[in-house]
Structures are given as C-alpha cells and as structure tokens.
Amino acid sequence: MKIAIGNDHAATDLKFIIKEYVEGMGHEVINFGTDDNESCDYPAYGKKVGEAVVNGEADCGILICGTGVGISIAANKVKGVRAAVCSDVATAHLVKEHNNANIIAFGARIVGVELAKDIVKTYLEAEFEGGRHQRRIDMIHDIEN
C-alpha cells in the first residue's frame, strides 16, 4: 500500500518515527511533510496529502501536527477527503470501519510514540464495513457536492 504522510514543524520527529514504522510494515511512504523543526504552515501539508489521496497517488494518508486538528481541517477542504483525528485505537478502527476515512490525523503533542504506532497499525488493518455505512458516506458526498 502507498501511504502519504504529512506534518508540520510540531510533528517532524514523530513523522520520521511513524514513517519508519509504516515502512517496516511493508508499505511505501510518500513524504509530503516538512523535514525540519522550522515554523511552517500546516494547511499546505494537509492539502498535499489530501490531493495525493484523492488523485490516487496514495491509497490513504497520515497527517500529524500539534493536535491533529488543524491539519485535518485543511485536508478535509480537498474534495473527496474524509480525514479523521484519532487519539485512541478505538477511534482509529471505527473511522475506517464506519466512515471509510481515507486519512487519519493525530497530534504529536497529544499522543505518545507507542500510541501513535498503535493508532496507525489499527487504522491500516481495519476494513470498511460498507452496508448502512456506505449510505452515510454517500450522504456526505452529497453534502460535499
């Protein structure tokens, strides 16, 4: 699987850890984030990952900023993105199973390294259930259009 990853300055260190972890799981990671700790603007990275996912360059995405909120809001402005902030594994599982989220986000200032790894693993291993959930995804698409 190809996974786009993006981050701002608050999450550079965690991004590199997650990138290595995901590659260790056998996935290809496309890095759209900053690689240093200089202050930068998270919306640019949310947009880049969102566009990569929507245009098929990546199968899904991972976004990391201080809280995960700002960068996910930016990504959700890209038509076709369903980015969800996850601060626990239950949410990571459910956003894929019920919402078919194509991007997850979390905060480097909110979750620790091991929890971040667990969130990513849970999300990547979860599968969309379809059925009644597809009807709701279709409703979201209708709102978007």
Side-chain angles (χ1 to χ4, degrees):
M1 188 177 333
K2 286 185 181 180
I3 301 164
I5 194 166
N7 64 287
D8 71 357
H9 58 279
T12 301
D13 295 339
L14 183 56
K15 184 266 299 275
F16 284 120
I17 293 167
I18 295 302
K19 181 180 181 293
E20 182 179 315
Y21 178 71
V22 171
E23 289 170 341
M25 295 172 70
H27 302 292
E28 179 183 342
V29 177
I30 308 166
N31 180 9
F32 289 99
T34 185
D35 289 339
D36 61 46
N37 297 316
E38 294 291 321
S39 182
C40 63
D41 300 318
Y42 60 79
Y45 303 109
K47 180 182 181 205
K48 288 179 183 182
V49 169
E51 290 174 343
V53 170
V54 169
N55 74 26
E57 185 178 347
D59 299 303
C60 63
I62 299 169
L63 292 170
I64 319 167
C65 67
T67 63
V69 174
I71 202 164
S72 68
I73 290 171
N76 277 316
K77 298 299 181 184
V78 176
K79 186 175 181 175
V81 167
R82 287 179 311 283
V85 178
C86 302
S87 297
D88 58 79
V89 294
T91 302
H93 179 80
L94 290 170
V95 300
K96 182 63 170 221
E97 190 176 79
H98 291 190
N99 308 114
N100 203 16
N102 49 15
I103 298 175
I104 58 165
F106 47 87
R109 296 177 179 148
I110 305 299
V111 302
V113 171
E114 294 307 313
L115 179 54
K117 288 178 181 178
D118 289 344
I119 288 168
V120 168
K121 182 177 190 295
T122 299
Y123 170 76
L124 293 176
E125 291 178 352
E127 293 186 24
F128 179 52
E129 285 185 352
R132 73 184 190 278
H133 304 296
Q134 183 59 56
R135 183 179 74 249
R136 295 166 184 158
I137 298 301
D138 294 341
M139 293 172 73
I140 292 169
H141 284 283
D142 289 344
I143 293 167
E144 185 175 55
N145 291 320

